[in-house]
Amino acid sequence: MGIAQKAADNNQPQPVWQYWKRYDLRGERGNRYIYAPNFWREGGKWKRNESRTYRPLTCGGLFFRFARLGDYGDLDPATHLEELDTDRNAQAAYDWADQWGVLGLTIKETSEGRSYASTIGGAEDTVVRFAEEAWAANAVLRLYESATSESSPDVATIHEIMEYGGVDRRSRSIFTSTPERARDWALVSAAEQTQERVSRYCHPALYRRSGHNHFRQAPAFRNLLGALWLEMFWLLLSDDTRRCHNSECNRIIPFEPTPARDLFAQNIRDTGYATRVDKIYCSKRCANRHYYKTTTRKRRQATRGS
């Protein structure tokens, strides 16, 4: 039985996020943004946009998908934010919205004066902000993976992220002078950045128990970005992570978060995560690489020697 099915069977409360059938890339280069129109014209006819909802917290590894965009060439890096509005980054932002919806950075107000994150996108759901947030997630995840490496902290990667993040040369030299210092800096930095975003975009919420006058607590998020960072928050609380089976890779394989977790509960696997027992690689790329090293290459070597 899958996690989502268990959630339904246990009648667990789950916040949802809305995404639309069609999104457009609007604006001029340097200020392009994602937007879901009410109608669009196709084949000489006007079509009405339709929406659906899903539960981000049951999509195990959604934060990892977001953060890994910077690892596989889906995003262009830049030293200045205005350089992030590239065609590659625009395509990445559009593809993400097409599958998962916008990050929800555009704020709207109701007639009563209440504000909410828009799921249709808008002026704040720009290509620049999308790329900026994806690279920030990438840096935090890599810092944590480098600091908690099973052998020893990956000082070179930590130093690289420091440099890209604008840490001055003297501070980089001090905080990476020993593996222990590098590890401590990386862990503190990852925790601070995660906490800042969870504090900004997430909050505990009350859900009424079905057929009762009592409530239960479960995490809620103001936008999709909050749901993503909540997964990183739980990862930092976990004392049980699984690394990619490819010895050349240090990446963590995401577990699926159990729905309706207590926002402040300790993240232990038997109550907080579940995963397929046969999922031992972070990607097909690593699975293929490991198969080549352990099988294909040895077979070729044996053939040459015979």
Side-chain angles (χ1 to χ4, degrees), residues 57-75:
L57 300 183
T58 65
C59 300
L62 201 56
F63 176 84
F64 288 77
R65 292 172 184 259
F66 186 60
R68 299 292 190 214
L69 290 174
D71 288 339
Y72 301 132
D74 295 309
L75 288 177

Side-chain angles (χ1 to χ4, degrees), residues 2-300:
I3 287 296
Q5 187 176 348
K6 288 181 180 179
D9 291 344
N10 294 332
N11 196 29
Q12 300 282 19
Q14 269 294 299
V16 300
W17 186 247
Q18 185 181 44
Y19 69 102
W20 296 82
K21 183 176 181 179
R22 179 187 174 97
Y23 288 92
D24 291 338
L25 183 64
R26 296 187 174 184
E28 298 181 356
R29 193 181 186 93
N31 194 34
R32 291 182 288 183
Y33 61 91
I34 305 295
Y35 182 78
N38 291 328
F39 298 91
W40 78 91
R41 193 172 181 82
E42 183 178 301
K45 297 182 179 179
W46 286 99
K47 294 190 175 183
R48 184 181 183 88
N49 214 348
E50 298 177 350
S51 69
R52 295 180 180 179
T53 59
Y54 70 101
R55 299 174 177 181
L57 300 183
T58 65
C59 300
L62 201 56
F63 176 84
F64 288 77
R65 292 172 184 259
F66 186 60
R68 299 292 190 214
L69 290 174
D71 288 339
Y72 301 132
D74 295 309
L75 288 177
D76 287 327
T79 55
H80 302 287
L81 293 184
E82 58 268 20
E83 298 176 0
L84 287 172
D85 193 351
T86 65
D87 290 340
R88 186 190 300 272
N89 290 348
Q91 188 65 52
Y94 179 85
D95 290 344
W96 179 273
D98 188 52
Q99 185 171 10
W100 304 107
V102 295
L103 295 182
L105 302 174
T106 302
I107 304 301
K108 301 290 185 180
E109 288 191 1
T110 65
S111 57
E112 294 82 12
R114 298 178 180 178
S115 61
Y116 65 95
S118 173
T119 63
I120 67 174
E124 299 302 319
D125 280 281
T126 63
V127 172
V128 170
R129 282 298 307 278
F130 179 87
E132 180 187 12
E133 292 294 341
W135 278 117
N138 177 269
V140 168
L141 182 57
R142 290 174 64 206
L143 279 176
Y144 181 72
E145 289 173 332
S146 299
T148 59
S149 176
E150 295 179 347
S151 54
S152 62
D154 184 351
V155 178
T157 297
I158 295 172
H159 188 279
E160 173 193 334
I161 296 173
M162 278 183 170
E163 185 175 6
Y164 182 80
V167 179
D168 63 83
R169 181 179 300 179
R170 183 173 181 275
S171 296
R172 294 199 304 267
S173 177
I174 293 174
F175 290 121
T176 59
S177 58
T178 66
E180 291 74 21
R181 284 189 174 184
R183 177 196 61 210
D184 292 344
W185 184 91
L187 288 174
V188 170
S189 179
E192 288 179 344
Q193 293 184 63
T194 301
Q195 180 66 73
E196 191 277 328
R197 284 173 172 81
V198 169
S199 298
R200 191 193 312 176
Y201 299 126
C202 303
H203 57 89
L206 294 173
Y207 296 85
R208 185 177 177 181
R209 296 176 183 269
S210 178
H212 296 273
N213 295 328
H214 302 286
F215 294 80
R216 67 178 66 186
Q217 176 183 299
F221 46 82
R222 294 182 175 87
N223 56 18
L224 181 59
L225 192 59
L228 297 177
W229 281 98
L230 192 56
E231 185 176 4
M232 184 64 208
F233 183 90
W234 287 337
L235 177 62
L236 289 170
L237 290 174
S238 176
D239 57 2
D240 183 10
T241 57
R242 177 180 293 187
R243 301 279 171 164
C244 181
H245 198 57
N246 178 15
S247 60
E248 296 177 348
C249 179
N250 185 45
R251 294 189 180 98
I252 295 173
I253 298 176
F255 293 112
E256 294 182 1
T258 296
R261 281 190 47 79
D262 183 340
L263 179 62
F264 305 107
Q266 183 180 3
N267 193 3
I268 53 178
R269 182 176 173 184
D270 59 350
T271 59
Y273 283 122
T275 189
R276 289 171 55 91
V277 295
D278 58 342
K279 187 175 181 180
I280 59 177
Y281 301 103
C282 69
S283 65
K284 290 183 178 179
R285 186 176 305 182
C286 272
N288 294 336
R289 177 60 181 168
H290 186 258
Y291 182 81
Y292 170 79
K293 289 192 308 176
T294 59
T295 305
T296 305
R297 186 166 60 186
K298 289 184 177 180
R299 185 186 301 133
R300 289 178 180 175

